[in-house]
Amino acid sequence: QNVPVAVNAQSAPGEEVGVEPLSVPEAADVDTDDSAWESDEVEDAPEPKRDLKAEAKSIEHLLDHRVKNPHCDSCNRSSMKNKRSMTGAFKDEPKAWGDLVTGDHLDSKRRNMIGFSGEKEAFTILDIYSRLRHIYPTASKDSVDTSLSIKHFMGDRTIKRFYSDNSGEINKACKGLEILRDGSQPGMPQTNSLAERNNQTIISKTIACLLEAGLPPCYWSFAGPCLCLLMNTDYSAGESSWFKTHGSEFSGLRLPLGCKVSFKPSTTKGEGGGKWDEHSETGVFAGYRLHSGYKWKGEYLVWDLEEFVHADLSKKARNVHQKLGKPHITKRCVLHNQILCFPLKATYERLN
């Protein structure tokens, strides 16, 4: 009977490749005892422990603070344990985008909560099928602003049914857009639990993003929309909400609000640079510019870092910095020196 042979791969070039017979173990060397494999003592290798402290400082967590981390200071300061209401008020699960959409209004009664452009209200919206969500800062919660928010969210897509509380503004907006509206039970806000939960998620995560960025509450009108896009483009658990809406994953950089970036400034804002000046500036990331239909055309929003030299970063800051209200719109934006840092954080903590 022939014995298998192995080729010696270590032969030098030009030499004849030799072959060596494989050694056949003697009977005494063969372990035929299978009892160890049948024993309960054999255990699977333990899974490596997660380093929550390292995760708290990772860019994946700092993008949207989606999962509360006990070692993240911003999570601990922004999130309180919310009581869950009923799991949902819908019996029929939507099978396509726009089958069922819900929305609600938020108001900013405190003076330091007014946005840069005088936004006193906000309209939150959520597509149940894709989980695509957004917050629209508005000057009021009338039917005109509500209608514009819904139209921007759906674009050329169709919303078949809109579920909300019995708000007259939402009812009038849906009627003008010819969208069927279902109302929750009067006096029972928990019957619109998905909209309420969406509100709480956006509010708590926006506060965490503001704390991490070192920005006062009046910057919510930038932080909220930025947070929503980062949540919508997260595909760590599978297809993202962005993919379920547009058919492809988000193609841009996912950057957290307030991080330090290098960008090419807008030529239409301020004076252009000199011939020998560097082509990029150092800035603070402010979010993304979105178009009708919740589409993105490669445009980022960035504040020039120098604009914060005399800015008020205290918690009582109000919407007085009009120059910061209109950040640069640029298509060239990268993480500064490829290092994640928040340049305003130290000053914010010192003042507050």
Side-chain angles (χ1 to χ4, degrees):
Q1 184 177 356
N2 295 329
V3 178
V5 296
V7 177
N8 182 7
Q10 303 296 328
S11 301
E15 292 183 358
E16 200 176 71
V17 178
V19 294
E20 298 175 357
L22 291 175
S23 60
V24 180
E26 297 179 3
D29 297 329
V30 178
D31 185 5
T32 59
D33 184 8
D34 294 332
S35 60
W37 298 99
E38 300 173 359
S39 173
D40 294 336
E41 297 179 359
V42 178
E43 299 179 356
D44 294 334
E47 295 183 0
K49 292 184 178 180
R50 293 173 55 190
D51 188 349
L52 293 179
K53 289 185 178 180
E55 288 183 14
K57 297 298 181 183
S58 67
I59 189 172
E60 289 79 8
H61 175 73
L62 296 178
L63 283 171
D64 53 19
H65 300 264
R66 180 183 289 271
V67 179
K68 183 177 179 180
N69 189 309
H71 300 286
C72 175
D73 181 63
S74 298
C75 282
N76 293 329
R77 292 164 63 182
S78 66
S79 301
M80 291 291 179
K81 188 175 181 181
N82 297 319
K83 291 184 178 179
R84 275 202 171 192
S85 58
M86 57 189 295
T87 55
F90 312 112
K91 295 181 180 179
D92 300 328
E93 288 293 330
K95 296 179 174 58
W97 201 100
D99 281 357
L100 183 60
V101 175
T102 184
D104 198 9
H105 284 109
L106 298 174
D107 62 336
S108 302
K109 297 179 180 179
R110 290 173 54 186
R111 194 172 179 184
N112 67 330
M113 291 296 290
I114 299 177
F116 275 101
S117 300
E119 301 95 342
K120 299 179 182 179
E121 316 287 341
F123 181 71
T124 62
I125 190 168
L126 170 70
D127 174 61
I128 306 302
Y129 167 75
S130 65
R131 313 301 295 182
L132 189 80
R133 72 189 75 203
H134 199 62
I135 179 172
Y136 290 93
T138 58
S140 69
K141 61 177 184 179
D142 62 16
S143 60
V144 176
D145 284 335
T146 304
S147 178
L148 288 173
S149 300
I150 297 175
K151 288 175 66 176
H152 184 276
F153 186 74
M154 70 178 185
D156 55 4
R157 295 184 294 272
T158 302
I159 294 179
K160 295 182 180 179
R161 186 158 61 111
F162 198 98
Y163 192 93
S164 69
D165 59 15
N166 293 281
S167 165
E169 295 84 5
I170 296 179
N171 191 19
K172 188 176 181 180
C174 289
K175 187 176 181 180
L177 296 172
E178 298 182 349
I179 298 174
L180 178 65
R181 192 192 74 86
D182 284 344
S184 58
Q185 182 179 347
M188 294 288 290
Q190 63 267 30
T191 56
N192 194 18
S193 59
L194 288 177
E196 294 292 333
R197 197 177 308 151
N198 183 45
N199 288 348
Q200 292 302 320
T201 298
I202 293 176
I203 290 172
S204 62
K205 302 306 179 186
T206 297
I207 294 173
C209 290
L210 287 169
L211 287 170
E212 194 66 43
L215 292 169
C218 64
Y219 285 77
W220 70 266
S221 55
F222 288 100
C226 180
L227 164 77
C228 288
L229 184 133
L230 293 173
M231 294 182 70
N232 291 331
T233 56
D234 181 12
Y235 56 88
S236 60
E239 293 178 351
S240 68
S241 301
W242 185 275
F243 181 91
K244 293 178 179 179
T245 301
H246 299 294
S248 60
E249 292 293 357
F250 184 67
S251 59
L253 292 176
R254 300 178 69 241
L255 299 171
L257 178 84
C259 70
K260 192 175 183 180
V261 295
S262 297
F263 73 102
K264 185 176 176 58
S266 308
T267 56
T268 57
K269 184 176 180 181
E271 298 180 0
K275 185 180 292 292
W276 308 112
D277 290 342
E278 62 176 307
H279 294 172
S280 66
E281 299 286 346
T282 302
V284 178
F285 190 69
Y288 304 82
R289 188 188 188 195
L290 295 172
H291 296 265
S292 178
Y294 208 78
K295 296 178 181 178
W296 183 69
K297 298 182 178 180
E299 297 169 316
Y300 302 93
L301 302 178
V302 183
W303 293 297
D304 195 319
L305 185 58
E306 294 182 356
E307 294 175 353
F308 285 93
V309 172
H310 300 294
D312 183 7
L313 296 180
S314 67
K315 290 182 179 179
K316 297 181 180 180
R318 299 171 182 173
N319 58 326
V320 294
H321 315 297
Q322 295 303 321
K323 194 172 183 180
L324 290 171
K326 296 181 178 180
H328 289 269
I329 301 173
T330 178
K331 290 190 174 183
R332 300 292 181 89
C333 177
V334 296
L335 202 61
H336 186 72
N337 290 336
Q338 299 302 311
I339 299 174
L340 179 64
C341 70
F342 299 91
L344 308 177
K345 177 72 171 176
T347 303
Y348 175 84
E349 295 294 343
R350 178 174 56 81
L351 293 174
N352 298 289

